[in-house]
Amino acid sequence: MHARLGDDLARLPGLLDEARAHAVRLLTGLDDRPVALTTGPPAPDPLPVTGIGAAGALEAFARRWEPGFAASAGPRYLGFVTGGATPASLAGDWLTGALDQNPTSGIDSSAPDLERETVAWLRELFGLPREHAGAFVSGATMSNFTGLAVAREWVGERRGVRVSEQGVAALGPVPVLSASPHSSVGKALSMLGLGRSALRRVDALPGREAVDPARLEEALESLGGEPAIVVANAGTVNTVDFDDLRAIAALRERYPFWLHVDAAFGAFALLSPDHAHLLDGLGEADSVCVDLHKWLNVPYDSAVQFTRRRDLQVRVFANSAAYLGPLGDDLDRVDLVHLTPENSRRLRALPAWFTLAAYGREGHAEIVRRDIALAGLLGERVAALPGYRLLAPVRLNVVCFTPEGSPERTGELVSAIIESGEAFLTPTVYGGVPALRAAFSNWRTTEADVERVVKVLERLAP
Ligand SMILES: Cc1ncc(COP(=O)(O)O)c(C=O)c1O
């Protein structure tokens, strides 16, 4: 054994203690750390030849890299849609690395069954019916990709083509209808060979991002009975608008289409009694995307995808080989290797299992309700601040607003907020207006954090 490896093996408990102490220092210091940084990378180091051992690596990381890392696990990182990591999920994540399971096949371990149990818990959390089978993927982009891959196979079934065997060329063009899809849908269509231009934008309701069901019906009517894919959005990134899922699902009585719902973070509105109605009809979807590294507050990377047609899913993702064992007939117990793009992968379900076991539905509902209330509070405060204008009502957990002044003012404000070290917000464009988004999905955020953000905005007001 290489000398450094041998040394590290002999001191493994001490090394893990050092890493633990380091992580504790990081987490307890989150509040004092700049929320975001633009310092850039350190000078590059050459590839180590003999290596410096794990303790040396920890020291080098802490010295060279860590000072430039954002406090994205903290309470005032409000950029994109970013969750933190609950204490239990972090413990689960550490054990994921320690156990180093590969849950793709179940012939050697019960790890895949832990994943099945977690998926069943999540299905219940999101009120999906038993027919929805789920699988873990790395993020909402992969969840959208997987759902749309099953959708593509379904369109093939309608047209008498096995896309998984014959390829997309045999399928021909597929219309994909949506009003305000996330950019990852275009990426998924590109990867699936359907092409980004397959996406046909349907008008949203006036002043909204939610699809106008009448316009959607017209678009479906114009297809003359051709099967299509509809991507419904349950929580858009700018204004967290929700398509009327029930109205869309009802259109399937007259038009043949696969209903994919991107509920990456919007699905969590189900945990707030005042907002659960926004997801009415979710269970009728053919496939559903939900991210877990956002509002479930598990560490990256983690998401789940659900579909009613696991048979088609297995057709697309089957990875049969003699050394992996037979596919089997029981779709509920099919090896996970046959469900998603990845073959070997980490036991991504374990952090989610830990946090659900530790805090349950009620604990997670409290996080969601608190974040919604805090977004509402920031919305009220921003609306009352001179120099700023809300661009949309705060529907759930995102505040979308713009500073008065020139269009460049938004970019300057984002940089000034970063420089303050107090918060991180991301820029966007909504309705043609450059804007900022403050997205609340971290379990640590409190009213005091909102007040700190307000103070910064007040100080930087145009
Ligand atoms: C609605 C929606 N869909 C998809 C995604 C893509 O998620 P990920 O970056 O986890 O792949 C996001 C990310 O913000 C999102 O908000």
Side-chain angles (χ1 to χ4, degrees):
M1 190 184 281
H2 177 57
R4 298 279 193 215
L5 269 175
D7 288 351
D8 278 356
L9 180 57
R11 335 185 18 235
L12 190 61
L15 280 173
L16 293 181
D17 274 347
E18 278 168 42
R20 185 200 61 81
H22 194 83
V24 169
R25 271 198 302 281
L26 275 178
L27 292 174
T28 50
L30 266 182
D31 241 15
D32 307 320
R33 200 185 167 90
V35 176
L37 295 131
T38 50
T39 46
D45 257 4
L47 170 70
V49 178
T50 53
I52 49 179
L58 181 59
E59 184 280 321
F61 167 72
R63 179 173 38 82
R64 294 186 58 231
W65 286 102
E66 199 190 286
F69 279 24
S72 46
R76 275 165 284 106
Y77 188 97
L78 307 176
F80 313 107
V81 184
T82 307
T86 61
S89 75
L90 187 58
D93 202 64
W94 285 0
L95 291 179
T96 305
L99 286 159
D100 201 20
Q101 304 281 295
N102 179 359
T104 47
S105 133
I107 53 176
D108 60 334
S109 170
S110 60
D113 286 312
L114 178 135
E115 192 150 317
R116 291 186 183 100
E117 177 168 281
T118 316
V119 165
W121 287 357
L122 290 165
R123 181 174 56 212
E124 194 180 331
L125 192 72
F126 301 123
L128 292 171
R130 177 78 187 83
E131 305 84 71
H132 270 279
F136 267 81
V137 285
S138 59
T141 302
M142 275 323 235
S143 181
N144 279 332
F145 172 84
T146 305
L148 293 172
V150 184
R152 185 186 62 178
E153 197 69 11
W154 175 85
V155 174
E157 187 180 67
R158 301 283 302 204
R159 291 185 185 164
V161 176
R162 264 198 188 228
V163 186
S164 48
E165 294 297 328
Q166 297 163 259
V168 272
L171 182 66
V174 177
V176 181
L177 310 175
S178 190
S180 311
H182 187 264
S183 50
S184 57
V185 170
K187 181 173 182 168
L189 294 176
S190 162
M191 291 193 286
L192 286 164
L194 297 175
R196 294 177 198 268
S197 65
L199 195 54
R200 300 189 192 175
R201 296 289 184 137
V202 180
D203 284 347
L205 292 164
R208 299 270 305 271
E209 288 187 297
V211 74
D212 182 336
R215 296 281 92 75
L216 179 61
E217 175 155 15
E218 279 169 22
L220 289 164
E221 179 73 39
S222 74
L223 298 176
E226 266 299 300
I229 299 171
V230 171
V231 175
N233 302 293
T236 56
V237 279
N238 277 338
T239 67
V240 199
D241 213 342
F242 286 75
D243 288 352
D244 182 340
L245 301 179
R246 215 172 268 297
I248 297 175
L251 291 171
R252 278 187 310 196
E253 284 163 24
R254 272 164 288 152
Y255 309 98
F257 64 88
W258 178 274
L259 176 55
H260 174 78
V261 179
D262 181 352
F265 64 97
F268 288 85
L270 280 162
L271 299 182
S272 162
D274 293 344
H275 301 86
H277 65 276
L278 295 167
L279 278 309
D280 272 357
L282 182 68
E284 293 181 44
D286 298 299
S287 52
V288 177
C289 152
V290 185
D291 226 338
L292 303 178
H293 53 220
K294 292 185 165 66
W295 229 347
L296 192 69
N297 279 270
V298 296
Y300 291 101
D301 45 21
S302 188
V304 69
Q305 73 74 225
F306 293 98
T307 179
R308 289 172 174 275
R309 291 294 306 270
R310 181 165 268 189
D311 57 326
L312 298 182
Q313 179 169 13
V314 169
R315 261 202 227 162
V316 177
F317 294 105
N319 186 80
S320 301
Y323 83 106
L324 291 173
L327 196 58
D329 292 328
D330 182 355
L331 284 176
D332 279 340
R333 306 250 347 130
V334 72
D335 281 344
L336 308 184
V337 68
H338 304 300
L339 296 178
T340 62
E342 292 165 305
N343 279 2
S344 296
R345 61 176 170 84
R346 74 202 305 260
L347 180 59
R348 202 170 272 135
L350 193 53
W353 185 94
F354 258 76
T355 201
L356 290 170
Y359 315 118
R361 181 198 296 271
E362 284 181 10
H364 280 278
E366 188 278 327
I367 297 172
V368 168
R369 287 197 307 267
R370 175 158 41 93
D371 283 335
I372 295 172
L374 294 174
L377 176 64
L378 182 68
E380 279 168 26
R381 302 297 305 270
V382 167
L385 276 183
Y388 297 99
R389 183 164 55 91
L390 278 188
L391 286 182
V394 180
R395 293 198 175 86
L396 198 70
N397 61 330
V398 174
V399 185
C400 186
F401 65 100
T402 189
E404 275 161 17
S406 63
E408 295 78 48
R409 186 69 198 114
T410 309
E412 289 163 11
L413 188 61
V414 170
S415 305
I417 295 172
I418 292 176
E419 242 164 71
S420 78
E422 281 286 279
F424 179 63
L425 276 64
T426 32
T428 188
V429 176
Y430 176 63
V433 181
L436 276 88
R437 293 169 58 259
F440 290 77
S441 35
N442 189 295
W443 67 281
R444 289 174 177 266
T445 315
T446 63
E447 253 182 69
D449 293 302
V450 172
E451 294 308 333
R452 279 174 73 167
V453 175
V454 170
K455 268 210 184 86
V456 175
L457 291 175
E458 219 165 12
R459 185 161 56 76
L460 299 173

